[in-house]
PDB file of all heavy atoms in Angstrom:
ATOM      1  N   GLU V 176       0.520   2.175  -0.870  1.00 58.00           N
ATOM      2  CA  GLU V 176       1.308   3.393  -1.003  1.00 58.00           C
ATOM      3  C   GLU V 176       0.813   4.443  -0.010  1.00 58.00           C
ATOM      4  O   GLU V 176      -0.367   4.648   0.158  1.00 58.00           O
ATOM      5  CB  GLU V 176       1.144   3.940  -2.451  1.00 58.00           C
ATOM      6  CG  GLU V 176       2.208   4.901  -2.825  1.00 58.00           C
ATOM      7  CD  GLU V 176       2.078   5.310  -4.284  1.00 58.00           C
ATOM      8  OE1 GLU V 176       2.116   4.425  -5.156  1.00 58.00           O
ATOM      9  OE2 GLU V 176       1.903   6.503  -4.496  1.00 58.00           O
ATOM     10  N   GLU V 177       1.749   5.086   0.678  1.00 59.00           N
ATOM     11  CA  GLU V 177       1.386   6.106   1.682  1.00 59.00           C
ATOM     12  C   GLU V 177       1.147   7.442   0.982  1.00 59.00           C
ATOM     13  O   GLU V 177       1.976   7.873   0.191  1.00 59.00           O
ATOM     14  CB  GLU V 177       2.518   6.239   2.717  1.00 59.00           C
ATOM     15  CG  GLU V 177       2.086   6.974   3.968  1.00 59.00           C
ATOM     16  CD  GLU V 177       3.198   7.009   4.992  1.00 59.00           C
ATOM     17  OE1 GLU V 177       3.792   5.934   5.255  1.00 59.00           O
ATOM     18  OE2 GLU V 177       3.450   8.075   5.538  1.00 59.00           O
ATOM     19  N   VAL V 178      -0.025   8.032   1.254  1.00 59.00           N
ATOM     20  CA  VAL V 178      -0.351   9.314   0.639  1.00 59.00           C
ATOM     21  C   VAL V 178       0.005  10.416   1.631  1.00 59.00           C
ATOM     22  O   VAL V 178      -0.455  10.404   2.761  1.00 59.00           O
ATOM     23  CB  VAL V 178      -1.863   9.378   0.285  1.00 59.00           C
ATOM     24  CG1 VAL V 178      -2.190  10.728  -0.334  1.00 59.00           C
ATOM     25  CG2 VAL V 178      -2.211   8.232  -0.661  1.00 59.00           C
ATOM     26  N   VAL V 179       0.831  11.346   1.190  1.00 57.00           N
ATOM     27  CA  VAL V 179       1.204  12.471   2.045  1.00 57.00           C
ATOM     28  C   VAL V 179       0.394  13.680   1.612  1.00 57.00           C
ATOM     29  O   VAL V 179       0.442  14.076   0.449  1.00 57.00           O
ATOM     30  CB  VAL V 179       2.720  12.783   1.941  1.00 57.00           C
ATOM     31  CG1 VAL V 179       3.083  13.946   2.796  1.00 57.00           C
ATOM     32  CG2 VAL V 179       3.515  11.541   2.311  1.00 57.00           C
ATOM     33  N   THR V 180      -0.372  14.238   2.553  1.00 55.00           N
ATOM     34  CA  THR V 180      -1.136  15.436   2.228  1.00 55.00           C
ATOM     35  C   THR V 180      -0.480  16.632   2.881  1.00 55.00           C
ATOM     36  O   THR V 180       0.066  16.544   3.976  1.00 55.00           O
ATOM     37  CB  THR V 180      -2.593  15.316   2.745  1.00 55.00           C
ATOM     38  OG1 THR V 180      -2.557  15.095   4.142  1.00 55.00           O
ATOM     39  CG2 THR V 180      -3.343  14.206   2.053  1.00 55.00           C
ATOM     40  N   GLU V 181      -0.527  17.732   2.151  1.00 60.00           N
ATOM     41  CA  GLU V 181       0.088  18.962   2.682  1.00 60.00           C
ATOM     42  C   GLU V 181      -0.878  19.603   3.661  1.00 60.00           C
ATOM     43  O   GLU V 181      -2.055  19.799   3.366  1.00 60.00           O
ATOM     44  CB  GLU V 181       0.347  19.914   1.506  1.00 60.00           C
ATOM     45  CG  GLU V 181       1.566  20.757   1.711  1.00 60.00           C
ATOM     46  CD  GLU V 181       1.870  21.600   0.478  1.00 60.00           C
ATOM     47  OE1 GLU V 181       2.184  21.029  -0.573  1.00 60.00           O
ATOM     48  OE2 GLU V 181       1.774  22.821   0.614  1.00 60.00           O
ATOM     49  N   GLN V 182      -0.401  19.906   4.851  1.00 61.00           N
ATOM     50  CA  GLN V 182      -1.255  20.547   5.839  1.00 61.00           C
ATOM     51  C   GLN V 182      -1.149  22.051   5.723  1.00 61.00           C
ATOM     52  O   GLN V 182      -0.096  22.580   5.395  1.00 61.00           O
ATOM     53  CB  GLN V 182      -0.872  20.109   7.247  1.00 61.00           C
ATOM     54  CG  GLN V 182      -1.205  18.663   7.519  1.00 61.00           C
ATOM     55  CD  GLN V 182      -0.976  18.316   8.990  1.00 61.00           C
ATOM     56  OE1 GLN V 182      -0.124  18.905   9.632  1.00 61.00           O
ATOM     57  NE2 GLN V 182      -1.748  17.385   9.494  1.00 61.00           N
ATOM     58  N   GLN V 183      -2.259  22.719   6.001  1.00 58.00           N
ATOM     59  CA  GLN V 183      -2.270  24.181   6.008  1.00 58.00           C
ATOM     60  C   GLN V 183      -1.453  24.658   7.191  1.00 58.00           C
ATOM     61  O   GLN V 183      -1.587  24.106   8.279  1.00 58.00           O
ATOM     62  CB  GLN V 183      -3.705  24.699   6.135  1.00 58.00           C
ATOM     63  CG  GLN V 183      -4.560  24.476   4.893  1.00 58.00           C
ATOM     64  CD  GLN V 183      -4.119  25.358   3.747  1.00 58.00           C
ATOM     65  OE1 GLN V 183      -3.629  26.464   3.946  1.00 58.00           O
ATOM     66  NE2 GLN V 183      -4.267  24.862   2.529  1.00 58.00           N
ATOM     67  N   PRO V 184      -0.651  25.705   7.019  1.00 57.00           N
ATOM     68  CA  PRO V 184       0.096  26.225   8.158  1.00 57.00           C
ATOM     69  C   PRO V 184      -0.876  26.885   9.152  1.00 57.00           C
ATOM     70  O   PRO V 184      -1.871  27.466   8.758  1.00 57.00           O
ATOM     71  CB  PRO V 184       1.030  27.277   7.550  1.00 57.00           C
ATOM     72  CG  PRO V 184       0.401  27.634   6.237  1.00 57.00           C
ATOM     73  CD  PRO V 184      -0.357  26.414   5.780  1.00 57.00           C
ATOM     74  N   VAL V 185      -0.569  26.749  10.402  1.00 55.00           N
ATOM     75  CA  VAL V 185      -1.401  27.369  11.440  1.00 55.00           C
ATOM     76  C   VAL V 185      -1.036  28.841  11.547  1.00 55.00           C
ATOM     77  O   VAL V 185       0.138  29.189  11.691  1.00 55.00           O
ATOM     78  CB  VAL V 185      -1.196  26.647  12.800  1.00 55.00           C
ATOM     79  CG1 VAL V 185      -2.044  27.309  13.877  1.00 55.00           C
ATOM     80  CG2 VAL V 185      -1.505  25.178  12.676  1.00 55.00           C
ATOM     81  N   ARG V 186      -2.055  29.699  11.471  1.00 52.00           N
ATOM     82  CA  ARG V 186      -1.792  31.132  11.522  1.00 52.00           C
ATOM     83  C   ARG V 186      -2.050  31.622  12.939  1.00 52.00           C
ATOM     84  O   ARG V 186      -3.160  31.998  13.294  1.00 52.00           O
ATOM     85  CB  ARG V 186      -2.700  31.872  10.555  1.00 52.00           C
ATOM     86  CG  ARG V 186      -2.385  31.524   9.122  1.00 52.00           C
ATOM     87  CD  ARG V 186      -3.201  32.373   8.178  1.00 52.00           C
ATOM     88  NE  ARG V 186      -2.849  32.008   6.804  1.00 52.00           N
ATOM     89  CZ  ARG V 186      -3.722  31.952   5.827  1.00 52.00           C
ATOM     90  NH1 ARG V 186      -4.989  32.231   6.053  1.00 52.00           N
ATOM     91  NH2 ARG V 186      -3.344  31.618   4.616  1.00 52.00           N
ATOM     92  N   VAL V 187      -1.025  31.599  13.741  1.00 52.00           N
ATOM     93  CA  VAL V 187      -1.129  31.945  15.156  1.00 52.00           C
ATOM     94  C   VAL V 187      -1.496  33.417  15.348  1.00 52.00           C
ATOM     95  O   VAL V 187      -2.312  33.746  16.177  1.00 52.00           O
ATOM     96  CB  VAL V 187       0.184  31.605  15.905  1.00 52.00           C
ATOM     97  CG1 VAL V 187       0.055  32.021  17.364  1.00 52.00           C
ATOM     98  CG2 VAL V 187       0.468  30.133  15.767  1.00 52.00           C
ATOM     99  N   GLN V 188      -0.906  34.291  14.530  1.00 51.00           N
ATOM    100  CA  GLN V 188      -1.114  35.724  14.747  1.00 51.00           C
ATOM    101  C   GLN V 188      -2.575  36.146  14.559  1.00 51.00           C
ATOM    102  O   GLN V 188      -2.978  37.188  15.038  1.00 51.00           O
ATOM    103  CB  GLN V 188      -0.185  36.552  13.872  1.00 51.00           C
ATOM    104  CG  GLN V 188      -0.528  36.536  12.355  1.00 51.00           C
ATOM    105  CD  GLN V 188       0.097  35.382  11.632  1.00 51.00           C
ATOM    106  OE1 GLN V 188       0.525  34.399  12.249  1.00 51.00           O
ATOM    107  NE2 GLN V 188       0.132  35.447  10.315  1.00 51.00           N
ATOM    108  N   GLU V 189      -3.367  35.369  13.839  1.00 50.00           N
ATOM    109  CA  GLU V 189      -4.758  35.740  13.584  1.00 50.00           C
ATOM    110  C   GLU V 189      -5.723  35.283  14.692  1.00 50.00           C
ATOM    111  O   GLU V 189      -6.855  35.726  14.744  1.00 50.00           O
ATOM    112  CB  GLU V 189      -5.223  35.198  12.230  1.00 50.00           C
ATOM    113  CG  GLU V 189      -4.642  35.926  11.064  1.00 50.00           C
ATOM    114  CD  GLU V 189      -5.186  35.430   9.748  1.00 50.00           C
ATOM    115  OE1 GLU V 189      -6.238  34.774   9.743  1.00 50.00           O
ATOM    116  OE2 GLU V 189      -4.548  35.709   8.707  1.00 50.00           O
ATOM    117  N   SER V 190      -5.289  34.378  15.523  1.00 50.00           N
ATOM    118  CA  SER V 190      -6.205  33.870  16.548  1.00 50.00           C
ATOM    119  C   SER V 190      -6.330  34.899  17.692  1.00 50.00           C
ATOM    120  O   SER V 190      -5.370  35.536  18.061  1.00 50.00           O
ATOM    121  CB  SER V 190      -5.725  32.512  17.094  1.00 50.00           C
ATOM    122  OG  SER V 190      -4.464  32.683  17.715  1.00 50.00           O
TER     123      SER V 190
END
Side-chain angles (χ1 to χ4, degrees):
E176 198 175 302
E177 196 175 312
V178 179
V179 178
T180 58
E181 213 174 295
Q182 290 187 331
Q183 290 290 329
V185 179
R186 295 186 179 142
V187 178
Q188 72 274 16
E189 287 184 18
S190 63

